[in-house]
Amino acid sequence: MRLVVTGREGQVVSSLVERARTHPDVEVVTLGRPELDLAKPETIERALVATRPDLVVSAAAYTAVDQAEDEPDLAFAVNGIGAGHVAAAAARIGAPVIHLSTDYVFDGSGEGAYVEEDEPAPRSVYGASKLAGEQAVAKANPRHLILRTAWVYSPFGRNFVKTMLRLAADRDELAVVADQWGNPTSALDISDAILHVAAMLHGNKDFASYGVYHLAGTGETNWSGFARHILDTSQAFGGPYARVRDIATVDYPTKAQRPANSRLARTKFTSEFGWTAPEWRESTKEVVRRLLIGETRQTLTA
């Protein structure tokens, strides 16, 4: 089975390449600029046709949440229009598409975990552009799986875990928002889920469970609780440590509004595909271990 993934350097792309090494029957091909540029539709179908995928994983995206407020046209061109072109090209060559989306499609005002049937209402340009991408993907390719995830981290790229470890190396105390809640999700776990689902899709012309699913780490916390676990784990491994002080969102203003509640219900995904992400603390512990003493040590500034 050949999985063609859009993007080359993202957290999910890097994690998927690594995880696929334990699946000898799976080949992962990554496509990025200039061969495939989501802002240049003419490159998309040409690149996919040349690689002959059995399944397309639409992972590339514009992810600069605050910068998107100043670059809405680019955010929508990549996350909305570009994602739709990827799905359409996949449909024309007979391949299903797995498209990655985000908790930012919700406004965060709900009290419980969001289910797939809840009405999206993004409060930021980034969230609106990702919702536009969901809609474009669904329209362009009936054989689609849209996977919404949240609070993604990994040993690769830039993410919250790396930021906390880097800041703790220079400070005794870190102020972290305590009134935003969600599900920390390892990109390694996302990749395991994608490979699990891809095996179910491959060669299965009768597959009838296409649609929107929530895929996130098991359990929930706020950003300060996430930070405390990261730094407690780091201290246990002999890494940097700092105290965490709770602050409110109003004390840490950002250009783009963040959802106060990003919790995603994962029951539908588990029921349909028989796969559940590990508890978030365990997955976080493994990433911190790898960053500090693991076999694939990463620079914290990457």
Side-chain angles (χ1 to χ4, degrees), residues 84-103:
H85 282 301
V86 170
R92 284 192 288 271
I93 60 179
V97 60
I98 295 177
H99 176 71
L100 296 179
S101 191
T102 174
D103 55 310

PDB file of all heavy atoms in Angstrom, residues 84-103:
ATOM      1  N   GLY A  84      -9.109  21.264  -0.872  1.00  0.00           N
ATOM      2  CA  GLY A  84     -10.123  20.786  -1.804  1.00  0.00           C
ATOM      3  C   GLY A  84      -9.521  20.252  -3.078  1.00  0.00           C
ATOM      4  O   GLY A  84      -9.973  19.222  -3.619  1.00  0.00           O
ATOM      5  N   HIS A  85      -8.484  20.905  -3.579  1.00  0.00           N
ATOM      6  CA  HIS A  85      -7.821  20.428  -4.800  1.00  0.00           C
ATOM      7  C   HIS A  85      -7.130  19.085  -4.569  1.00  0.00           C
ATOM      8  O   HIS A  85      -7.111  18.223  -5.459  1.00  0.00           O
ATOM      9  CB  HIS A  85      -6.814  21.466  -5.293  1.00  0.00           C
ATOM     10  CG  HIS A  85      -7.428  22.619  -6.016  1.00  0.00           C
ATOM     11  ND1 HIS A  85      -8.190  22.474  -7.157  1.00  0.00           N
ATOM     12  CD2 HIS A  85      -7.408  23.959  -5.763  1.00  0.00           C
ATOM     13  CE1 HIS A  85      -8.608  23.654  -7.579  1.00  0.00           C
ATOM     14  NE2 HIS A  85      -8.143  24.569  -6.747  1.00  0.00           N
ATOM     15  N   VAL A  86      -6.557  18.896  -3.385  1.00  0.00           N
ATOM     16  CA  VAL A  86      -5.934  17.605  -3.070  1.00  0.00           C
ATOM     17  C   VAL A  86      -6.980  16.499  -3.104  1.00  0.00           C
ATOM     18  O   VAL A  86      -6.780  15.428  -3.694  1.00  0.00           O
ATOM     19  CB  VAL A  86      -5.245  17.651  -1.688  1.00  0.00           C
ATOM     20  CG1 VAL A  86      -4.823  16.246  -1.249  1.00  0.00           C
ATOM     21  CG2 VAL A  86      -4.030  18.573  -1.718  1.00  0.00           C
ATOM     22  N   ALA A  87      -8.111  16.746  -2.464  1.00  0.00           N
ATOM     23  CA  ALA A  87      -9.174  15.741  -2.432  1.00  0.00           C
ATOM     24  C   ALA A  87      -9.727  15.460  -3.820  1.00  0.00           C
ATOM     25  O   ALA A  87     -10.015  14.303  -4.167  1.00  0.00           O
ATOM     26  CB  ALA A  87     -10.291  16.213  -1.497  1.00  0.00           C
ATOM     27  N   ALA A  88      -9.881  16.505  -4.615  1.00  0.00           N
ATOM     28  CA  ALA A  88     -10.405  16.330  -5.971  1.00  0.00           C
ATOM     29  C   ALA A  88      -9.436  15.537  -6.832  1.00  0.00           C
ATOM     30  O   ALA A  88      -9.847  14.646  -7.600  1.00  0.00           O
ATOM     31  CB  ALA A  88     -10.681  17.695  -6.601  1.00  0.00           C
ATOM     32  N   ALA A  89      -8.153  15.837  -6.717  1.00  0.00           N
ATOM     33  CA  ALA A  89      -7.151  15.097  -7.492  1.00  0.00           C
ATOM     34  C   ALA A  89      -7.127  13.636  -7.076  1.00  0.00           C
ATOM     35  O   ALA A  89      -7.015  12.730  -7.916  1.00  0.00           O
ATOM     36  CB  ALA A  89      -5.780  15.739  -7.306  1.00  0.00           C
ATOM     37  N   ALA A  90      -7.244  13.384  -5.773  1.00  0.00           N
ATOM     38  CA  ALA A  90      -7.289  12.006  -5.296  1.00  0.00           C
ATOM     39  C   ALA A  90      -8.497  11.284  -5.880  1.00  0.00           C
ATOM     40  O   ALA A  90      -8.404  10.112  -6.304  1.00  0.00           O
ATOM     41  CB  ALA A  90      -7.328  11.980  -3.773  1.00  0.00           C
ATOM     42  N   ALA A  91      -9.643  11.955  -5.921  1.00  0.00           N
ATOM     43  CA  ALA A  91     -10.852  11.334  -6.470  1.00  0.00           C
ATOM     44  C   ALA A  91     -10.673  10.980  -7.934  1.00  0.00           C
ATOM     45  O   ALA A  91     -11.101   9.895  -8.380  1.00  0.00           O
ATOM     46  CB  ALA A  91     -12.043  12.272  -6.282  1.00  0.00           C
ATOM     47  N   ARG A  92     -10.029  11.858  -8.683  1.00  0.00           N
ATOM     48  CA  ARG A  92      -9.869  11.605 -10.117  1.00  0.00           C
ATOM     49  C   ARG A  92      -8.956  10.425 -10.404  1.00  0.00           C
ATOM     50  O   ARG A  92      -9.074   9.780 -11.448  1.00  0.00           O
ATOM     51  CB  ARG A  92      -9.357  12.872 -10.813  1.00  0.00           C
ATOM     52  CG  ARG A  92     -10.446  13.923 -11.003  1.00  0.00           C
ATOM     53  CD  ARG A  92     -10.002  15.036 -11.931  1.00  0.00           C
ATOM     54  NE  ARG A  92      -9.013  15.913 -11.328  1.00  0.00           N
ATOM     55  CZ  ARG A  92      -9.298  16.996 -10.606  1.00  0.00           C
ATOM     56  NH1 ARG A  92     -10.570  17.322 -10.379  1.00  0.00           N
ATOM     57  NH2 ARG A  92      -8.357  17.755 -10.114  1.00  0.00           N
ATOM     58  N   ILE A  93      -8.032  10.123  -9.478  1.00  0.00           N
ATOM     59  CA  ILE A  93      -7.162   8.968  -9.695  1.00  0.00           C
ATOM     60  C   ILE A  93      -7.634   7.757  -8.901  1.00  0.00           C
ATOM     61  O   ILE A  93      -6.933   6.749  -8.812  1.00  0.00           O
ATOM     62  CB  ILE A  93      -5.695   9.297  -9.357  1.00  0.00           C
ATOM     63  CG1 ILE A  93      -5.554   9.730  -7.880  1.00  0.00           C
ATOM     64  CG2 ILE A  93      -5.154  10.379 -10.269  1.00  0.00           C
ATOM     65  CD1 ILE A  93      -4.122  10.048  -7.481  1.00  0.00           C
ATOM     66  N   GLY A  94      -8.832   7.861  -8.320  1.00  0.00           N
ATOM     67  CA  GLY A  94      -9.444   6.723  -7.657  1.00  0.00           C
ATOM     68  C   GLY A  94      -8.955   6.422  -6.266  1.00  0.00           C
ATOM     69  O   GLY A  94      -9.057   5.274  -5.807  1.00  0.00           O
ATOM     70  N   ALA A  95      -8.431   7.419  -5.561  1.00  0.00           N
ATOM     71  CA  ALA A  95      -7.889   7.194  -4.215  1.00  0.00           C
ATOM     72  C   ALA A  95      -8.737   7.901  -3.165  1.00  0.00           C
ATOM     73  O   ALA A  95      -9.156   9.049  -3.358  1.00  0.00           O
ATOM     74  CB  ALA A  95      -6.448   7.699  -4.140  1.00  0.00           C
ATOM     75  N   PRO A  96      -8.975   7.261  -2.023  1.00  0.00           N
ATOM     76  CA  PRO A  96      -9.613   7.962  -0.906  1.00  0.00           C
ATOM     77  C   PRO A  96      -8.639   8.942  -0.271  1.00  0.00           C
ATOM     78  O   PRO A  96      -7.416   8.847  -0.484  1.00  0.00           O
ATOM     79  CB  PRO A  96      -9.976   6.834   0.064  1.00  0.00           C
ATOM     80  CG  PRO A  96      -9.033   5.735  -0.251  1.00  0.00           C
ATOM     81  CD  PRO A  96      -8.699   5.850  -1.711  1.00  0.00           C
ATOM     82  N   VAL A  97      -9.163   9.874   0.528  1.00  0.00           N
ATOM     83  CA  VAL A  97      -8.313  10.867   1.168  1.00  0.00           C
ATOM     84  C   VAL A  97      -8.616  10.920   2.667  1.00  0.00           C
ATOM     85  O   VAL A  97      -9.772  10.865   3.077  1.00  0.00           O
ATOM     86  CB  VAL A  97      -8.505  12.263   0.527  1.00  0.00           C
ATOM     87  CG1 VAL A  97      -9.946  12.736   0.655  1.00  0.00           C
ATOM     88  CG2 VAL A  97      -7.547  13.282   1.123  1.00  0.00           C
ATOM     89  N   ILE A  98      -7.557  10.971   3.457  1.00  0.00           N
ATOM     90  CA  ILE A  98      -7.670  11.237   4.894  1.00  0.00           C
ATOM     91  C   ILE A  98      -7.175  12.660   5.112  1.00  0.00           C
ATOM     92  O   ILE A  98      -6.014  12.966   4.846  1.00  0.00           O
ATOM     93  CB  ILE A  98      -6.845  10.251   5.730  1.00  0.00           C
ATOM     94  CG1 ILE A  98      -7.389   8.826   5.579  1.00  0.00           C
ATOM     95  CG2 ILE A  98      -6.837  10.657   7.201  1.00  0.00           C
ATOM     96  CD1 ILE A  98      -6.586   7.776   6.330  1.00  0.00           C
ATOM     97  N   HIS A  99      -8.060  13.516   5.576  1.00  0.00           N
ATOM     98  CA  HIS A  99      -7.728  14.935   5.738  1.00  0.00           C
ATOM     99  C   HIS A  99      -7.690  15.303   7.213  1.00  0.00           C
ATOM    100  O   HIS A  99      -8.619  14.992   7.963  1.00  0.00           O
ATOM    101  CB  HIS A  99      -8.769  15.803   5.017  1.00  0.00           C
ATOM    102  CG  HIS A  99      -8.564  17.261   5.205  1.00  0.00           C
ATOM    103  ND1 HIS A  99      -7.515  17.947   4.623  1.00  0.00           N
ATOM    104  CD2 HIS A  99      -9.268  18.189   5.921  1.00  0.00           C
ATOM    105  CE1 HIS A  99      -7.584  19.227   4.968  1.00  0.00           C
ATOM    106  NE2 HIS A  99      -8.632  19.395   5.755  1.00  0.00           N
ATOM    107  N   LEU A 100      -6.632  15.962   7.643  1.00  0.00           N
ATOM    108  CA  LEU A 100      -6.476  16.354   9.042  1.00  0.00           C
ATOM    109  C   LEU A 100      -7.041  17.750   9.284  1.00  0.00           C
ATOM    110  O   LEU A 100      -6.685  18.700   8.588  1.00  0.00           O
ATOM    111  CB  LEU A 100      -5.011  16.312   9.446  1.00  0.00           C
ATOM    112  CG  LEU A 100      -4.362  14.922   9.406  1.00  0.00           C
ATOM    113  CD1 LEU A 100      -2.906  15.008   9.806  1.00  0.00           C
ATOM    114  CD2 LEU A 100      -5.100  13.955  10.310  1.00  0.00           C
ATOM    115  N   SER A 101      -7.914  17.845  10.282  1.00  0.00           N
ATOM    116  CA  SER A 101      -8.491  19.132  10.646  1.00  0.00           C
ATOM    117  C   SER A 101      -8.245  19.389  12.131  1.00  0.00           C
ATOM    118  O   SER A 101      -7.375  18.774  12.745  1.00  0.00           O
ATOM    119  CB  SER A 101      -9.984  19.172  10.296  1.00  0.00           C
ATOM    120  OG  SER A 101     -10.495  20.500  10.414  1.00  0.00           O
ATOM    121  N   THR A 102      -9.019  20.287  12.723  1.00  0.00           N
ATOM    122  CA  THR A 102      -8.641  20.839  14.020  1.00  0.00           C
ATOM    123  C   THR A 102      -9.833  21.127  14.922  1.00  0.00           C
ATOM    124  O   THR A 102     -10.970  21.336  14.444  1.00  0.00           O
ATOM    125  CB  THR A 102      -7.857  22.153  13.803  1.00  0.00           C
ATOM    126  OG1 THR A 102      -7.592  22.787  15.055  1.00  0.00           O
ATOM    127  CG2 THR A 102      -8.663  23.123  12.960  1.00  0.00           C
ATOM    128  N   ASP A 103      -9.569  21.173  16.212  1.00  0.00           N
ATOM    129  CA  ASP A 103     -10.557  21.601  17.205  1.00  0.00           C
ATOM    130  C   ASP A 103     -10.937  23.068  17.034  1.00  0.00           C
ATOM    131  O   ASP A 103     -11.985  23.504  17.544  1.00  0.00           O
ATOM    132  CB  ASP A 103      -9.997  21.381  18.611  1.00  0.00           C
ATOM    133  CG  ASP A 103      -8.653  22.083  18.820  1.00  0.00           C
ATOM    134  OD1 ASP A 103      -7.758  21.909  17.973  1.00  0.00           O
ATOM    135  OD2 ASP A 103      -8.487  22.785  19.831  1.00  0.00           O
TER     136      ASP A 103
END
